[in-house]
Amino acid sequence: MTQPAPIRRDGHRPTLLDLFCCQGGAAKGYSDAGFEVTGVDITPQPRYPYRFMQADAIAFVREHGAAFDFIHASPPCQHDTDCQRLRGNAHPDLIAPTRAALESTGRPWAMENVRGAAAKLRTPVMLCGQMFRLANYRHRFFETGGGFRLPQAGHPAHLVPQAKMGRPVPPGHYGQFVGNFSGVALARQVLGVPWMNRDGIRECIPPAYTQHIGTAALELLYADRLEVTA
């Protein structure tokens, strides 16, 4: 994978708006890539490690999104998870409203969700823990827009078995880390999110994924800046 590259030459980091931020898995990767991150979530997020605003994410991006260099959104995935459907729980589908709000900003963006929502995303790119040498699979799908495109990386074969959902992880297996899983300490280490609790881990994006996306986004922003100043 490509490595983070410094873009700003004037001492300021480019700004990133992290919508539906939860506990900040995506934010950590973008920060590592070189962004100054601001998170927005409708519920308090005391574990979020960066600047945080409590607000409705869609309303916030419509009002303030154009002021940021890049926008990331992770609308709640529960509507499209098998677990929630089996339980008969009802959750709003926010993918289309989020896309419309992102497109209204005129800024480059990425929107993430789970496999169950992939059919609703436009030409999504799939990222897997194996692409980043994580001891985990955790597929996540990313739609991009606003002039930003992310190439699909090669997908290594899944050769390591997974522990059963919710069970302790035996030697030689990967954990699934969803639901009321066992092994928070292991999940923190594997996914690179040492500040999170179980609630944050079960839905988080591993920071390695968004560090990869953020590096590509900075290359776009730098190229645009060179065109403007040329």
Side-chain angles (χ1 to χ4, degrees):
M1 294 298 172
T2 56
Q3 296 299 312
I7 298 302
R8 289 285 178 96
R9 310 302 187 193
D10 57 5
H12 298 286
R13 288 153 64 95
T15 56
L16 183 134
L17 180 59
D18 178 20
L19 301 173
F20 310 98
C21 65
C22 295
Q23 293 184 15
K28 175 64 163 59
Y30 285 117
S31 178
D32 289 347
F35 282 96
E36 187 74 28
V37 179
T38 297
V40 175
D41 204 287
I42 200 166
T43 59
Q45 297 295 339
R47 292 177 181 265
Y48 192 76
Y50 306 100
R51 179 173 181 255
F52 174 75
M53 306 289 287
Q54 185 175 350
D56 178 271
I58 293 177
F60 189 93
V61 73
R62 285 193 176 277
E63 185 172 355
H64 303 289
F68 290 82
D69 293 309
F70 191 84
I71 306 171
H72 172 94
S74 292
C77 64
Q78 289 90 343
H79 181 275
D80 294 293
T81 59
D82 292 335
C83 180
Q84 297 296 333
R85 282 193 292 268
L86 289 172
R87 292 177 180 176
N89 293 338
H91 295 277
D93 186 353
L94 297 180
I95 289 177
T98 300
R99 178 189 295 117
L102 291 169
E103 289 177 336
S104 74
T105 67
R107 305 306 301 152
W109 53 268
M111 177 170 61
E112 172 270 343
N113 224 279
V114 297
R115 180 188 296 277
K120 302 175 187 177
L121 301 178
R122 297 172 181 171
T123 319
V125 167
M126 187 275 289
L127 297 180
C128 166
Q130 294 295 278
M131 299 173 182
F132 306 94
R133 298 183 180 179
L134 303 183
N136 196 256
Y137 295 129
R138 188 161 288 210
H139 291 177
R140 290 293 184 268
F141 294 78
F142 297 83
E143 177 184 335
T144 58
F148 176 60
R149 295 292 179 268
L150 186 71
Q152 176 65 62
H155 187 198
H158 290 193
L159 301 177
V160 179
Q162 292 191 102
K164 291 184 178 180
M165 191 177 299
R167 302 287 181 84
V169 182
H173 287 65
Y174 287 167
Q176 295 201 53
F177 309 137
V178 296
N180 293 319
F181 66 88
S182 175
V184 170
L186 175 62
R188 287 171 171 166
Q189 178 183 354
V190 167
L191 300 179
V193 289
W195 69 94
M196 286 192 183
N197 62 16
R198 181 180 283 109
D199 289 341
I201 291 168
R202 61 169 58 106
E203 297 177 2
C204 79
I205 302 171
Y209 295 15
T210 47
Q211 184 174 345
H212 169 64
I213 296 170
T215 299
L218 289 175
E219 291 173 354
L220 170 68
L221 294 174
Y222 188 33
D224 289 347
R225 188 178 306 279
L226 288 177
E227 289 180 5
V228 170
T229 58

